[in-house]
């Protein structure tokens, strides 16, 4: 197969969330499985020093009445290449999508340019791709442009989070020279705006999302964010493929970022990570159960019910460490709570990958009370590190975490259904009780550490789907 992956972020080049892990890992895995694969990314400021690149030519995209030039920067890899689209006016900025004050006002133009530039680069380099794997709204116009130009290339559009839709004012149609015939309810029009995400849903050959449960949920009004109708219409072409994680990056036995490596058979060594984290954070933990969390602080992540639940839970003999950044109100709420309970809660408001690894390694439990969760990587990492997940039963969390059953003693974590501080609090208390009964806790932790969520099976499913797409008339 000759595959192109288009994403707005991918490890190790640029990352703000799980999409980066998925795109970067699939690029590696598809090539390892013998498929010529190309990864398309904007050439962001933070990526510019990657090295080992060559300039493979220029492209020009008409934006309004202007010709915007760009460079195709290639980093060759075994069985493929990373292809960066360089356009400094659009991409040589401090951040990927915006600043603390909000999104960059020209994101529609930036990613519209990117989408057209990717297709021009594919033609210019004669890549002859069988399938383009598009990810999230930033690449959502590509299926429309393919349809419009008659290019022969199959498309899979993957939704990593339906909450981010790339909806913009109509003016973008003229700026990108998109024929108004596509601006209909059956097309890319969405409540009077142009929706990049809807364009991806409507014009791609297949649609996927990152867990089977989320694939079902997004067809309902509760989780559909206005797109449920159009998704139901295309349900025969919509599938859920669970994300995996890259165990070469996330493995407590080899992780160079944690204080002490450990395995299931030497699990007692794990507690050295707790002791050292306490030292580093100047936060006394000793033998108390440590509840960790590493997350974007966004409404989606359940931070509101978490702060609610913590107000009571912090009265118990427990310790909580939360690492996250995001919406200011949620950051402030956690900071305020930690000021009330300074010896119980440490709120670390920043993005810090090394510290994230240390928290997974140190924690006895890992909290993800998400309102919705397309797949979630945090709980998968937590399982591997022996931090027992406490999650809400939604999306990928539901597909990967089985609530501990006190009668059968099955389960790799704790989960609850109702989205409320009360339900979360009850579950946290249950988890805390289990911690006091070592036999129960050890068994849940062991089952979790033995789970295998590596990419192999999911990558096979993607490849089978690509074959199907390639065979479409
Ligand atoms: P999402 O993609 O919605 O943000 P996921 O659980 O799929 O959520 O992926 C989040 C990834 O980002 C995980 O690898 C997590 O460890 C990491 N992460 C989130 N917030 C931070 C942070 N503040 N510092 C370091 N890593 C973080």
């Amino acid at each position: 197969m000759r595959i192109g992956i288009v994403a707005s972020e991918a490890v190790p080049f640029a990352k703000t969330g799980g999409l980066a892990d998925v795109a970067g890992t699939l690029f590696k895995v598809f090539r390892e499985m013998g498929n010529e694969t190309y990864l398309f990314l904007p050439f962001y400021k933070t990526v510019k020093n990657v090295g080992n690149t060559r300039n493979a030519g220029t492209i020009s995209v008409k934006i309004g009445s202007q010709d915007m030039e760009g460079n195709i920067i290639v980093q060759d890899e075994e069985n493929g290449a990373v292809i960066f689209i360089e356009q400094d006016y659009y991409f040589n900025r401090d951040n990927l999508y915006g600043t603390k004050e909000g999104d960059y006002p020209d994101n529609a133009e930036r990613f519209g340019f990117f989408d057209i530039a990717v297709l021009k680069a594919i033609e210019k380099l004669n890549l002859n791709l069988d399938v383009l794997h598009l990810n999230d709204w930033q690449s959502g116009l590509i299926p429309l442009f393919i349809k419009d130009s008659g290019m022969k290339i199959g498309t899979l559009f993957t939704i990593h989070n339906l909450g981010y839709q790339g909806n913009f004012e109509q003016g973008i149609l003229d700026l990108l020279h998109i024929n108004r015939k596509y601006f209909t309810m059956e097309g890319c029009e969405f409540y009077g705006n142009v929706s990049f995400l809807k364009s991806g849903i409507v014009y791609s050959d297949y649609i996927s999302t990152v867990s089977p449960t989320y694939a079902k949920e997004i067809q309902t009004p509760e989780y559909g964010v206005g797109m449920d109708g159009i998704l139901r219409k295309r349900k025969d072409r919509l599938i859920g493929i669970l994300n995996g994680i890259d165990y070469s990056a996330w493995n407590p036995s080899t992780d160079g970022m944690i204080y002490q490596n450990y395995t299931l058979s030497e699990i007692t060594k794990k507690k050295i990570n707790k002791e050292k984290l306490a030292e580093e954070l100047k936060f006394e933990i000793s033998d108390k159960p440590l509840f960790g969390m590493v997350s974007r602080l966004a409404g989606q992540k359940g931070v509101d019910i978490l702060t609610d639940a913590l107000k009571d839970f912090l009265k118990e003999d427990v310790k909580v460490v939360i690492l996250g950044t995001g919406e200011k109100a949620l950051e402030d709420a956690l900071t305020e709570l930690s000021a009330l309970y300074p010896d119980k809660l440490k709120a670390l408001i920043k993005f810090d990958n090394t510290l994230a690894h240390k928290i997974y390694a140190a924690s006895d439990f890992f909290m993800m009370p998400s309102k919705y969760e397309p797949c979630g990587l945090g709980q998968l990492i937590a399982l591997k590190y022996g931090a027992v997940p406490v999650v809400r039963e939604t999306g990928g969390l539901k597909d990967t975490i089985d609530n501990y059953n006190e009668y059968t003693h099955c389960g790799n974590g704790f989960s609850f259904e109702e989205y409320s501080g009360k339900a979360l609090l009850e579950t946290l208390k249950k988890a805390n009780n289990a911690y006091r009964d070592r036999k129960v806790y050890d068994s849940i932790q062991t089952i979790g550490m033995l789970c295998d969520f590596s990419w192999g099976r999911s990558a096979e499913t993607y490849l089978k789907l690509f074959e199907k797409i390639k065979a479409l008339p």
Side-chain angles (χ1 to χ4, degrees):
M1 291 286 281
R2 297 176 62 87
I3 303 163
I5 301 174
V6 186
S8 57
E9 53 184 273
V11 292
F13 305 106
K15 167 167 170 173
T16 68
L19 163 65
D21 294 297
V22 177
T25 310
L26 282 179
F27 174 58
K28 198 166 84 178
V29 176
F30 290 157
R31 283 182 297 123
E32 281 167 3
M33 292 169 91
N35 304 283
E36 202 164 314
T37 309
Y38 298 86
L39 171 65
F40 295 86
L41 284 171
F43 207 35
Y44 298 114
K45 190 179 195 169
T46 47
V47 184
K48 288 229 157 188
N49 56 2
V50 284
N52 284 330
T53 55
R54 61 184 168 88
N55 191 325
T58 59
I59 33 134
S60 173
V61 177
K62 210 163 190 67
I63 301 287
S65 58
Q66 251 182 314
D67 291 313
M68 297 298 284
E69 308 283 332
N71 293 313
I72 307 169
I73 307 291
V74 176
Q75 187 183 54
D76 292 301
E77 293 277 355
E78 194 160 342
N79 242 350
V82 188
I83 300 178
F84 297 104
I85 302 296
E86 182 179 48
Q87 213 302 328
D88 282 349
Y89 172 71
Y90 290 134
F91 302 123
N92 193 22
R93 302 184 188 180
D94 288 339
N95 300 297
L96 271 55
Y97 312 121
T99 62
K100 271 253 167 265
E101 275 66 57
D103 289 346
Y104 292 129
D106 58 349
N107 272 350
E109 186 180 328
R110 296 172 75 219
F111 290 102
F113 167 87
F114 176 64
D115 287 2
I116 299 170
V118 165
L119 293 177
K120 292 207 167 187
I122 290 169
E123 280 188 329
K124 182 138 191 162
L125 303 180
N126 283 320
L127 294 181
N128 290 317
L129 300 178
D130 296 311
V131 177
L132 263 183
H133 182 193
L134 311 166
N135 295 278
D136 278 350
W137 73 262
Q138 290 88 348
S139 50
L141 289 183
I142 288 181
L144 185 155
F145 290 131
I146 289 179
K147 183 182 163 70
D148 193 57
S149 66
M151 251 173 117
K152 286 272 162 284
I153 182 163
T155 50
L156 170 66
F157 182 68
T158 298
I159 301 167
H160 296 261
N161 191 331
L162 196 67
Y164 299 87
Q165 304 187 337
N167 299 332
F168 302 101
E169 287 174 12
Q170 284 180 43
I172 193 65
L173 293 171
D174 297 333
L175 215 51
L176 299 178
H177 305 278
I178 297 175
N179 193 316
R180 291 233 159 214
K181 74 180 181 199
Y182 297 108
F183 190 64
T184 63
M185 260 171 71
E186 289 70 42
C188 65
E189 189 267 347
F190 188 63
Y191 295 101
N193 283 324
V194 177
S195 173
F196 281 39
L197 185 92
K198 191 173 170 217
S199 159
I201 294 173
V202 171
Y203 296 115
S204 57
D205 292 320
Y206 269 83
I207 308 148
S208 74
T209 184
V210 288
S211 70
T213 293
Y214 192 59
K216 281 189 217 131
E217 286 174 342
I218 58 177
Q219 297 179 51
T220 66
E222 189 189 349
Y223 289 94
V225 205
M227 298 280 178
D228 46 296
I230 195 77
L231 286 163
R232 281 196 301 276
K233 227 175 175 173
R234 297 217 65 199
K235 68 173 190 293
D236 296 343
R237 293 288 179 98
L238 167 62
I239 95 165
I241 306 175
L242 197 67
N243 284 338
I245 57 170
D246 179 1
Y247 286 126
S248 66
W250 296 105
N251 191 335
S253 67
T254 52
D255 192 331
M257 294 185 212
I258 63 179
Y259 307 100
Q260 170 67 53
N261 292 119
Y262 57 95
T263 57
L264 182 55
S265 56
E266 296 173 312
I267 192 67
T268 47
K269 286 186 179 171
K270 178 175 161 73
K271 77 167 187 301
I272 297 171
N273 288 289
K274 197 159 141 181
E275 289 160 12
K276 297 271 185 198
L277 182 73
E279 247 174 69
E280 182 176 331
L281 300 180
K282 298 189 176 57
F283 178 61
E284 202 190 315
I285 304 176
S286 59
D287 58 347
K288 313 284 186 247
L290 175 62
F291 288 74
M293 179 166 177
V294 179
S295 179
R296 284 187 296 116
L297 298 179
Q300 174 207 337
K301 299 293 181 182
V303 188
D304 54 347
I305 63 167
L306 180 71
T307 43
D308 246 22
L310 285 182
K311 280 175 196 152
D312 278 320
F313 191 55
L314 289 173
K315 292 177 186 144
E316 312 253 327
D317 203 11
V318 295
K319 301 283 174 170
V320 178
V321 171
I322 299 175
L323 171 65
T325 57
E327 291 166 25
K328 187 150 183 330
L330 301 175
E331 293 180 349
D332 291 348
L334 289 173
T335 307
E336 278 164 30
L337 201 59
S338 69
L340 284 177
Y341 295 93
D343 54 343
K344 294 281 184 74
L345 168 64
K346 195 90 185 168
L348 304 150
I349 307 299
K350 57 181 165 179
F351 192 96
D352 183 337
N353 188 39
T354 305
L355 192 52
H357 281 249
K358 291 174 174 172
I359 292 174
Y360 287 111
S363 298
D364 302 299
F365 295 96
F366 190 80
M367 303 179 292
M368 276 179 89
S370 306
K371 190 166 204 170
Y372 71 93
E373 194 58 74
C375 176
L377 297 174
Q379 84 280 18
L380 304 182
I381 300 169
L383 286 173
K384 187 73 182 169
Y385 283 69
V388 172
V390 178
V391 308
R392 182 166 171 263
E393 285 159 27
T394 182
L397 295 172
K398 191 170 173 178
D399 291 332
T400 54
I401 303 303
D402 293 324
N403 189 27
Y404 171 69
N405 182 315
E406 52 199 287
Y407 303 107
T408 61
H409 303 292
C410 288
N412 59 1
F414 292 89
S415 63
F416 61 100
E417 203 177 332
E418 183 188 282
Y419 187 75
S420 71
K422 188 168 156 277
L424 170 57
L425 177 64
E426 275 166 20
T427 313
L428 286 171
K429 284 183 172 171
K430 240 185 248 168
N432 192 25
N433 285 338
Y435 188 76
R436 317 272 153 188
D437 184 342
R438 289 312 299 187
K439 251 171 82 185
V440 171
Y441 179 83
D442 290 349
S443 136
I444 303 171
Q445 185 187 47
T446 303
I447 294 173
M449 287 183 81
L450 291 173
C451 288
D452 180 4
F453 289 104
S454 51
W455 267 104
R457 206 170 40 182
S458 303
E460 294 276 359
T461 313
Y462 274 110
L463 290 171
K464 276 196 199 118
L465 184 57
F466 291 163
E467 292 287 355
K468 217 164 160 180
I469 291 171
K470 185 182 170 184
L472 288 172

